[in-house]
């Protein structure tokens, strides 16, 4: 994940399973943990820890491990922009090649972003700013349009 323009607050949580950066997640306040999205109608946070690289070649090798550092998340605000490689093609847009600026994006179970030509019924709705690459992988920059 890349934080392009994020005003939202950073917080730190434990995890119960390994978790990749760039996913959207739900907070379990009782346990003080985060896990990938299970329900897009719930409030989501962006997982964007600082990559702690030792033997890795680039940031795409980094993953948040259980028992490691606390995971950094961002509570996104309307207007925030971030780029992620965590893409899901189960929506109207079935590949990176057909996603265009202005498309809608929304979280699906597992925390990845799916893409649509029409506004989804999710608590957080994003608009595509651009398709790009990040660490050599297909990526999409999105802006928070709606934040419940």
């Amino acid at each position: 994940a890349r934080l392009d323009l994020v005003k939202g607050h950073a917080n730190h949580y434990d995890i119960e399973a390994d978790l990749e950066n760039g996913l959207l997640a739900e907070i379990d306040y009782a346990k003080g943990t985060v896990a990938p999205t299970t329900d897009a109608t719930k409030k989501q946070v962006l997982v964007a820890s600082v990559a702690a690289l030792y033997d890795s070649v680039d940031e795409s090798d980094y993953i948040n491990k259980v028992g490691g550092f606390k995971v950094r998340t961002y509570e996104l605000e309307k207007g925030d922009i971030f780029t992620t490689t965590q893409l899901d093609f189960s929506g109207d847009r079935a590949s990176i090649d057909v996603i265009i600026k202005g498309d809608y994006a929304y979280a699906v179970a597992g925390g990845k972003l799916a893409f649509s030509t029409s506004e989804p019924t999710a608590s957080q709705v994003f608009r595509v700013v651009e398709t790009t690459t990040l660490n050599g992988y297909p990526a999409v920059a999105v802006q928070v349009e709606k934040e419940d």
Side-chain angles (χ1 to χ4, degrees):
R2 182 180 71 211
L3 305 176
D4 299 316
L5 176 63
V6 175
K7 298 173 286 188
H9 299 287
N11 294 295
H12 294 83
Y13 294 96
D14 288 321
I15 52 175
E16 295 179 332
D18 293 352
L19 186 63
E20 292 185 71
N21 277 343
L23 291 174
L24 292 169
E26 298 168 4
I27 302 169
D28 183 331
Y29 291 100
K31 293 181 181 179
T33 60
V34 292
T37 297
T38 59
D39 181 354
T41 63
K42 293 181 179 177
K43 180 165 179 59
Q44 309 299 312
V45 294
L46 174 66
V47 176
S49 294
V50 174
L53 301 174
Y54 300 100
D55 298 324
S56 296
V57 175
D58 64 39
E59 288 188 16
S60 64
D61 294 336
Y62 178 74
I63 187 167
N64 296 286
K65 297 282 190 180
V66 173
F69 298 106
K70 287 188 179 252
V71 173
R72 183 176 69 176
T73 66
Y74 284 88
E75 292 181 30
L76 299 168
E77 297 178 6
K78 185 175 181 176
D80 287 353
I81 300 172
F82 66 93
T83 301
T84 183
T85 58
Q86 301 293 343
L87 312 176
D88 179 279
F89 299 110
S90 62
D92 296 351
R93 299 298 195 185
S95 76
I96 189 82
D97 300 324
V98 295
I99 296 172
I100 60 172
K101 182 177 181 176
D103 278 349
Y104 291 95
Y106 56 96
V108 294
K112 293 184 177 187
L113 285 179
F115 303 90
S116 176
T117 56
S118 57
E119 186 172 356
T121 57
S123 67
Q124 287 173 315
V125 175
F126 308 92
R127 291 304 281 262
V128 172
V129 175
E130 70 173 342
T131 58
T132 186
T133 58
L134 193 58
N135 295 321
Y137 294 94
V140 176
V142 295
Q143 183 171 30
V144 178
E145 179 165 285
K146 181 179 104 176
E147 178 67 25
D148 284 347

